[in-house]
Amino acid sequence: MCKIIAASIAVGTFFAFADPSLAVDRDGGAQLAAMCASCHRLDGGDDGIPTILGMSPELLTRAMLSYRSRERPSHIMRAIALSLSDEEIATVARYLAALSRQVRP
């Protein structure tokens, strides 16, 4: 029985670390990033709104906090930043940093 449990833990750990976005999503980054997808597109496409895929978590966190404090002007981004806690901003920033930008054909 212990061997089965140990094997299950090993397999789960492998899959969690095999894809960085899956590992980061353990804390709900994908769910939080869904609100970003409607404007920023999470497929890497750029229709005038910059992509945030692969952006460093520190840079994205700093940007979100700047929107919240009105250092950076944007009514939409300020509203989103105000709707998230500091921890949620850090979570979504880690998740988006783990995603690689995909280029549309």
Side-chain angles (χ1 to χ4, degrees), residues 21 24-25 27-35 42 91-92 95:
S21 65
V24 173
D25 190 44
D27 55 6
Q31 184 178 6
L32 292 169
M35 75 172 77
L42 298 185
T91 297
V92 74
Y95 177 77

Side-chain angles (χ1 to χ4, degrees), residues 39-86:
C39 294
H40 288 278
R41 301 182 50 146
L42 298 185
D43 65 355
D46 180 5
D47 289 332
I49 296 175
T51 186
I52 51 177
L53 297 177
M55 189 178 215
S56 85
E58 295 81 15
L59 186 61
L60 186 55
T61 298
R62 195 171 347 141
M64 292 298 290
L65 296 177
S66 296
Y67 285 120
R68 184 193 288 168
S69 68
R70 294 186 178 173
E71 289 176 41
R72 294 178 80 165
S74 172
H75 295 296
I76 293 172
M77 289 306 300
R78 183 166 193 272
I80 292 170
L82 285 171
S83 74
L84 298 171
S85 69
D86 290 352

